[in-house]
Amino acid sequence: MDIELNAYYTMILATLVLLLGRLLIVKIKFLADFNIPEPVAGGLLAGVIVFVLNALFGLTFQFSTPLQTGFMLMFFSSIGLGADFARLKAGGKPLAVFLVVVAGFIVVQDVVGVGLAAALGLDPLIGLVAGSITLTGGHGTAGAWGPVLEAQYGIVGATTLGIATATFGLVAGGLIGGPVAKRLLKKIDHQRLAPIGQQTPVEAAAASQSLYSTRHTEAGDAPDSAMFDKPDEIRLITASSTIETLALFAACLAFADLMTIAAKGTAFELPTFVWALAGGVVIRNVLTTFFNFEMFDRAIDVFGNASLSLFLAMALLSLRLWELTELALPVMVILLAQVGVMMLYASFVTFKVMGANYDAAVLAGGHCGFGMGATPTAIANMQAITDRYGPSYKAFLIVPMVGAFFVDLVNAAVLQFFTQLPFLQ
């Protein structure tokens, strides 16, 4: 029996999933420790319930696709609207170098995924699902690419597989970041890196100041922490600012719709969500560069995060776990290989290219976080390291900007390239 639910009931169930996820995270420490998002925690449980109902009674559910698609496009628009290229200049050369390192890993991740999928007798496109679509991209990108792979390439269960794989990545990224960074610290002169709890207050203060000065001298930055200690005055989200922000989102969605239609059948044919992201980038940088328009980043983030949560809740309600039974073992092999590749890349590429110093070790731990999971996982990894060994202003400046904004632009370009390769068609 197929039960179809309209937009109203889809929205109601999605919000209930989010409330359930919040309750689970409060009650289950494991979910909080590994930064499992509320829609994922609640949605996976809802997916299991749907699986049981299907197994026992043969029930399947159809939810409002246009509503889910709209929230997905708003999320990717928020990423584009937040990608201010002036931040690349503010981050300086280290940020640009780290972005190149991250871009290189995205290519490696997809090569490993596609290669192992082909070797295991799977469709090579499944290697992209077990590659940068879900591991670097996270749940949002997994939910966006899943329907594309299902509709255009015939990959059954791509959305369900993507959500499951992205969840594995979150846990794995949180597990490996700390150990990788700690092992790297043994390679450098860390006489000043004794755990903070084992230092006297005078030694801890001197070590922190010395490390801070050394890092910023190496990076060519001025040691000014005012930007960290004195955030800008908070601008309130009012009715007027809400309308202003919604107008920006509307422009992104209109741009995405027009470009999807105009580019159909041409070499520039891209998934609609990629055009939404690109539209956000264009609108953001044109308005700020040529019109000195002050973007309300906090409002953009609020709308983007809310859209992502609702989109994921709806996507997870639509999970068809029974479609994954034949893929479970080979995909797990690919994922375990991806964990090993991430650890090796962070240790021998990220760490060395970024300077093979304390900051580089913290950056490597952060890279493990969003290379396998998401930016919050990266921040948690770095926080665990710096709480023990001292601050790393450079890492906390670079990783959030790359992980939250620029990596999605690079990942979209790399994935578009891979999906156009003849042997993957």
Side-chain angles (χ1 to χ4, degrees):
M1 183 183 298
D2 192 20
I3 300 175
E4 185 172 348
L5 300 172
N6 63 24
Y8 299 124
Y9 293 106
T10 299
M11 188 73 172
I12 291 170
L13 286 175
T15 55
L16 290 176
V17 165
L18 295 178
L19 293 174
L20 174 62
R22 182 182 302 175
L23 177 64
L24 290 173
I25 289 173
V26 171
K27 298 294 184 180
I28 302 175
K29 187 174 183 295
F30 169 84
L31 299 176
D33 289 344
F34 288 99
N35 302 292
I36 304 299
E38 291 175 4
V40 175
L44 288 176
L45 179 57
V48 171
I49 294 172
V50 170
F51 175 79
V52 172
L53 291 175
N54 177 265
L56 295 180
F57 307 107
L59 296 178
T60 58
F61 298 87
Q62 297 292 332
F63 298 95
S64 174
T65 302
L67 188 63
Q68 180 179 332
T69 302
F71 282 123
M72 176 192 69
L73 294 177
M74 284 189 67
F75 163 63
F76 280 97
S77 296
S78 73
I79 294 175
L81 289 170
D84 187 350
F85 286 117
R87 293 175 179 174
L88 278 172
K89 182 179 179 180
K93 181 180 177 181
L95 188 149
V97 172
F98 187 63
L99 183 58
V100 171
V101 169
V102 169
F105 177 70
I106 292 174
V107 174
V108 170
Q109 202 169 54
D110 285 335
V111 168
V112 170
V114 169
L116 285 176
L120 292 169
L122 303 177
D123 190 312
L125 285 171
I126 291 179
L128 294 181
V129 178
S132 73
I133 286 179
T134 60
L135 300 180
T136 293
H139 289 88
T141 307
W145 273 101
V148 174
L149 294 175
E150 290 171 352
Q152 295 185 16
Y153 299 95
I155 307 298
V156 177
T159 302
T160 305
L161 177 63
I163 297 296
T165 302
T167 304
F168 172 91
L170 273 177
V171 176
L175 287 174
I176 67 175
V180 166
K182 290 176 183 178
R183 188 180 67 82
L184 293 173
L185 290 177
K186 296 178 181 179
K187 295 184 176 183
I188 62 179
D189 178 15
H190 61 286
Q191 292 178 349
R192 295 170 294 172
L193 297 180
I196 291 175
Q198 298 176 15
Q199 299 172 327
T200 67
V202 174
E203 290 173 337
S208 177
Q209 181 60 41
S210 177
L211 284 168
Y212 178 80
S213 300
T214 300
R215 292 173 203 143
H216 284 266
T217 300
E218 291 170 351
D221 299 330
D224 179 9
S225 61
M227 63 180 294
F228 301 99
D229 301 329
K230 298 179 181 179
D232 295 332
E233 182 180 350
I234 295 177
R235 179 182 172 190
L236 297 178
I237 299 178
T238 62
S240 177
S241 63
T242 296
I243 293 172
E244 174 187 297
T245 305
L246 285 175
L248 293 173
F249 279 101
C252 292
L253 268 60
F255 176 84
D257 185 56
L258 291 173
M259 291 305 300
T260 299
I261 296 172
K264 191 173 181 62
T266 71
F268 297 99
E269 184 173 356
L270 300 171
T272 304
F273 72 88
V274 177
W275 284 121
L277 188 154
V281 173
V282 172
I283 292 170
R284 164 84 191 218
N285 289 280
V286 168
L287 288 178
T288 56
T289 302
F290 298 104
F291 298 96
N292 294 320
F293 182 78
E294 183 180 355
M295 303 292 287
F296 192 177
D297 287 319
R298 197 165 70 88
I300 292 170
D301 289 341
V302 167
F303 280 98
N305 291 335
S307 297
L308 175 60
S309 294
L310 289 167
F311 161 60
L312 286 177
M314 294 174 191
L316 287 160
L317 280 170
S318 305
L319 286 183
R320 296 173 177 265
L321 295 174
W322 54 89
E323 296 177 347
L324 296 183
T325 52
E326 296 181 0
L327 295 175
L329 182 59
V331 169
M332 182 56 66
V333 172
I334 297 174
L335 291 176
L336 291 176
Q338 294 283 25
V339 171
V341 169
M342 178 76 259
M343 296 176 71
L344 291 172
Y345 192 94
S347 299
F348 294 100
V349 179
T350 306
F351 176 65
K352 291 186 176 180
V353 172
M354 296 308 298
N357 53 21
Y358 177 73
D359 280 326
V362 179
L363 283 167
H367 191 188
C368 289
F370 74 78
M372 291 296 297
T375 303
T377 307
I379 299 299
N381 286 350
M382 296 193 301
Q383 191 66 55
I385 299 163
T386 56
D387 283 349
R388 183 172 175 81
Y389 293 106
S392 174
Y393 295 106
K394 178 179 175 182
F396 276 92
L397 173 66
I398 291 175
V399 168
M401 284 197 285
V402 172
F405 301 114
F406 300 113
V407 70
D408 288 297
L409 305 180
V410 175
N411 194 26
V414 172
L415 287 171
Q416 188 62 27
F417 170 77
F418 269 88
T419 54
Q420 297 305 311
L421 292 175
F423 68 91
L424 291 181
Q425 296 293 314

